[in-house]
Every structure is written in C-alpha cells, then in structure tokens.
Amino acid sequence: MMYAKVIVGLNNPQMDKMFDYGVPEGMKVRQGVRVIVPFGSRNKKEEGYVISLSEETDVPEDKIKNILEMLDEGKPTFTPELLELAEWMRSRYFCTLNQCLQAIMPAGIRTKSSWAVNLKVFAGETKLTPKEKLLVDYIGERKNVPLDEIQAEFSGRILDFLRRMEEKGLLEIKQQLRRSEYKKEKKLYSLDMEHPLLEAAWKKAEKDKRLEGQRLILEYLRNGEEATAEELKEKFGITESPIKTLLCKGILKERKQTELRNVFDAEDYEKTKAFAPTAEQADALAAIRAEMAKEEKRPVLLHGITGSGKTEIYMQIIADVLAKGQQAIVLVPEIALTPLILERFISRFGDAVSVTHSRLSMGERVDQWKKARDGEISVIIGPRSALFMPFQNVGAIIMDEAHENSYVSDITPKYDTRDVAAEAAKKYNCLFLMGTATPDLVSYHRAKEGEYLLLELNERTGGGTLPEVFVTDMRKELAEGNRSAFSRELQKAIRENLRKGEQTMLFLNRRGYATFVSCRSCGHVMTCPECDITYTYHAKENALVCHYCGRRADIPKVCPECGSKYIRYFGTGTQKIEEEARKLFPEARILRMDLDTTMTKHSHEKILEAFGKGEADILIGTQMIAKGHDYPNVTLVGIMAADLSLNVDSYTASETGFRLMTQAAGRAGRRDDRGRVFIQTYQPEHYAVKHAADQDFKGFFEEEILMRQMMGYPPFSAFFSILIVGEEKNAVEVAAQKLAVKLAKADGEGIATILGPVPAALAKFRGEYRWQLIIKAAEEEALRELVLPVVESMKKDRKSDVRYQVSLNPVNIV
C-alpha cells in the first residue's frame, strides 16, 4: 500500500506537520496534488496537500486513515520546485508551511467548509428537556440550518449541547464542503443519429414551413458536427425555440465543454521582430548569456536609465529560453503593468504569453494558472504572485522595476519577492534578471560586492536625451505670495506646452482631495474609529475615507468634540490638484489616474489609452503614472510635492523619494525633444532632491549607503519588527512588555539593541490594538537564533489571545 505525507490546510501552528494517510487502491495520487482527508477525532473533512509518497509508514495499521478524495482531476497544484520553495519560505519568514502553500496556490480555489444542523425524525412521545424543545422549535421544518446561525442565537456552550442531542439521535450536525471551480463551460449540440424519432422529425420539418428552424438545424448537424446555441441562432437567424423542441424530444444531444478564458486576443496585436541591439545592449546580452551558461548562476542586476532599452533585452533573453523549450516568468509591479508593456510582449510572442493581475476576474486568473500548469503557455507576466506559476521547466525569471516596494508582501508570509525569486532560480537552475533605473540600495550594494552580476546601460535608445530638471523652492513661492500648489514657473511651462500641443504629466503621491479634516476651533482631527488614523477627504464622493481599512464616513456639519461649525480641509491630494488645474487651465483636457479612478475593470487601460492617443493634455496621478510609460508627446513633468515621500517614517524614505522623483522625471523627453521636469519642494537642499535633479544614482548611492552604515541599517545590519496585536488594549501592552523582558534576558552576550516596546505608529487597525518592538543586530543569523525561540515561547501561552507578527528587515514598519 502507498502512503502520502500530507500537510493539512489549517492555520494552527501546532498542526504544522505532516500526517500519514493511506492511498486507496485505484487512486493515483501524485506529489503536489490537493486532497480531502479525514482529520481529528471526529474525522472532519479537511483540504490537504501531498508533500511526498512512500511505501512505508510509522503509523500503526489500525490508526491509519485513507485519503477521501483527490481534487483537480489529480493534476498537481505544486511542482517539486514549488514545494521546496515553500519549505524554504517557512524557514525564512517564520510562518507555517500551510501559510506558504496558501500563498503559492491561486487565491480562491481552496475548499471551504461549513456546518449545518438537521433534525432527525423521532417519536412524538420522546421526552425533550426545555432547552432541547426550544432548539427543536427554532429549527422547525428548515433544512441545513447553519451552525453559525444557531451559535449566534443561543449563548453558552451550545456546540457541546448540540453534540449531546446528536448522540441521543435527535439531530445531525453535517459538514458541507464548497469549492469554487471557476469553470467556463459552453454547451455543444449534436444530433443523436440513432434516435427513433429522427427520421420522422426530419420529414415533418421538410414539409411544414413553420418548422423551418428545425429543418435548418437538422441539415447543418447531419454529418456529426457540433454547434452552440449562439452559433445556430446567428447562422440561421432563428430563435431558441427550435433548439429547445429538438432537445426535449431527445433528437439533439447536449455536451458541456470546459474552455479556459483568454484575457486578450493575439490577433489584435501586430507581430514584431527583435530590434538590432545597440552596442550597450549587445554587451549586456552577451554577459547575461554567458551567466546563463554557467552551472552556478549569479542573479543579474541590469541598471539602465529610463529609456535605455531594458525591455528589449528581456524579450531577447525570453526568445532564447523559448527556443530551448523552457518557460519564462516576467514580474512587473501591479501599478506598472500597463497596456504598453503587455503589447510589447504579446506582439513579440503571441499566444505563448499570458498575463495575470488583480484587475482580472478570479475565473480569468485561475484559467491562466491552469494554462501554465498544463503547458498551454510559456511566458507569464504579472505581479509577485506570478512567480508561483506551476511551470515545469523555467529558464528565466525576470523582474522589471526591481526596486519596487510592492514586491514585499505585507501579509503572512511577509516575503520579499527579490529573495524568493533568487531562491526559486536556484531550485530551477535558471537565470534571475532584475532590471531597474533606480536599484534598491541593498541589491546595488550586493552587486558592488560581487554577489550579483552588475550590468549598466547609460544611454537612451532612439536618440532621446535625459530631461532638463528644475528645482523649485516652494518656501520662496509662499513668501512671495503664491499660495497655489503650482509654482509660477510650472504654470508658465504648462501654458507653453498647451500652446505647442504637447502633453504634461503631474505627479503627486497622495490620492484624495485633502489629507485630513479638522476643526479650526478646538483642533480635533477626524479619525477612523477602527484604525485611529486620520480620514482623507474625497471631494467627488463628498466623504471621508480611511485609506487603511476602507471605512467611509459622512462629512460632519459640526465638530463632534466642541460643536463648532468651523470645519476645514488641510493638505493636498490628486483630486485637489485636478480641481486647481481646471481653474488655472480651463482650456486643457485633464485626466486623473489614481486608485479611486482605476477601481473598475479596464479603467486603468482606458485612461492610459486615451492619454496615449492625445485625447488629454494633462495627466494627473499618483505613482501609477511614474512607472514604465512611454509617451513621445510628453515633454513636461511636474513633481508637485517631493517632500511627501522624503518625510515618511522609514529608514528608506530618502531612497524612496529619490526613486520616485527619478522615475517620474524619466517620463519626459523620451524621443527627440529634450523634456523639462519641475521638482517642487520645501527642502531643495536635501541630497535626494539634488541627486534626482542631476539624474545621478551613483552619487545618491554613495551618500545614502554611508548614512546607512553610520546608522546601522541594512545592508550593514539586520532587524526584526515585532508587532503585538490583540483586541484588548491592556493585554497587548502587557504582552509587549513581557516580550521585551524575555528578549533582554535571552541576550546574555549583548549582541542586540532593543527599541521599545511602544504603541505602533498605526496603534489601532481594524479594531485591534498594536504595540511594536524593534530589535537590531549586526549579524542576521545570530539575531534569528536570539529572537525566534523567544517569540515562539510567547505564542505558546494559550491563555492569551494576543498575536505576534514578525518581519525581518521590513521596508514599512507601520
């Protein structure tokens, strides 16, 4: 008999181990498949994942349970490489193997379980206790009453009481499993050539003009063809009626066929061929190909200025990979996943390419995953989740805009896609290529140290030159009476652009109308009760919105604290910039692109397409518009408030600010005309602003890396951020203090610096209180050995409902 080692899909850390199950005779189970297994003393049905198979088990024969069901037609959800990667992630990111597998598998396909209660038929003279009678009356004639509903209606230990009633034969508690298949099925109709009524129906239809629809159907399908109802109706101009009549008589047979959704039609894209590389590109391609030929491959960091042709290098490497019969994964941040970049890949590789992202329906995303699993596509383009596509023979993993913080997951497992992709490349023995105009400092430092292969592109292809950059001191503007968000020079430049028929992009990394709303009398600021964070005012909806949990509230007519009518909006968001732009430039056609205007499907593409076609003069947006767009007619970029990024509470603030300014500036002058960029700031002397104005990454790197070394931040140290989270404020604080004491006691050699505990910057989030503790040390491994055992010991306190969220070197410590 074969035995399967199964991880059961439970989030309980105590259950994070493999359980042996018997494989029933005739069931062909493979490594990586999803299964349903009986679990626990009550044999509750749970989804599980087969990690390995064996002919032996240490479990006694009378204790072994068998797998109940195999899902997905027995096709593995996880390849061997993905299973190994999940094991690595569990160790690296301090979570359960189940959590890692959940992150790898496509969202939405997991089996969901619920419980329902049904009364059994029992004799009328059966004596019931008052509580039993109350419950029987509540259920009444209803079937499958949800257990959750009964537990909400009856207080106390109602589940134990229901189980006692079940033992007495009064009712049954039944588990119900639900899973979303996301199948797209079409119905195909054909003739049953053996049907006894076929000949008579045919003759009758030929004689009776009223049955012309039936005759046309019978004639068309006579040679064994199949057709959908839509095809028959369109071909012959008939209604549904003749189809239904023949189906009811059994003369027509119906067959359901599953088809995978396409997210684009390759026929809509004009085929392109590889460009002849420039001398710089040719050198880079040669170096990458040499690295690919090595047995042990280093990650490659391709540092190229905006417009230097990094995408063409990606595509030529992918062509090499496809020629070997391998597959390629192209990672792109969600906000940079534009129609333009998709068009480039589709026009080059056609149906071999597919794409996945959050704006697709769940069914569309699952179908692209199935295409990868079944070998129907060879290239996938998408955000960080695309890394986990179940390809069989990956030849290259390419990460565009590799500096982006969105590659770091903020939910468990809190993984950095750069590190996971590097490990995945080792598992596949394939190339890992990172491309960026502004590398993150840790990756660039690793490249300078020789851990990565560093390649640089310093020239724009197509003859474009870097834009001319002007830094505007907004303190001086204010002192000279200009209270507008637009400096006088920027206003003049926009008017000149409008006169010349050229386009402008205005960048502000904050959506909404005003950043906060407060009372001018008492100073009270309107905050979200769930998160304790200030609301943002959105003018279009005339509502207050929490950008953390999404809660909305009406604008107060009077201050809820003092009753004053003097409510004022402070700060500037993209909505407010749009409003002011319309007043200053009434003749301009203006589009706004932020999270609020791109919530619906394809809205992202529609805005960019309209701007690309010249249907707007000005595009206002958040960092969405700073990424990867190439519009020849954009000759002016305004960075409205550079200080927003420089002043966030993160050790990477200067790096983020420099990057966003550089990326936004790179949108101007991508062809023959030299573009102009205006950086508006209250800190013109800041080194990030100066280096961004000079488009000087190396100068910025030298200054920022020295600062990191002096302050002991990565890459010169490691630190853990530990969030202590719970619903009871006092319990969270006590647990945080206890954890700090335990860590200090465990650090006998004094290798670490402990900061805190203190209330987190986001001290309350979605109704839960949060405290934070940061612990730093020079060596990551020593820090792990100190921190992780202590946190694990705290988690074992069963009396506490407090949770511990551990992150290593997080970019965002809020």
Side-chain angles (χ1 to χ4, degrees), residues 579-594:
E579 181 184 280
E580 189 167 350
R582 292 188 184 281
K583 290 177 182 176
L584 288 170
F585 317 107
E587 73 279 23
R589 299 165 299 166
I590 298 175
L591 288 171
R592 176 167 59 88
M593 184 171 171
D594 54 27

Side-chain angles (χ1 to χ4, degrees), residues 511 527-535 544-553 762 764-768:
R511 73 188 207 267
T527 58
C528 171
E530 291 293 316
C531 301
D532 211 20
I533 287 291
T534 56
Y535 278 122
L544 300 175
V545 181
C546 174
H547 284 180
Y548 282 90
C549 71
R551 186 186 180 97
R552 292 173 179 266
L762 187 55
K764 189 180 181 186
F765 179 55
R766 293 180 178 170
E768 292 188 312

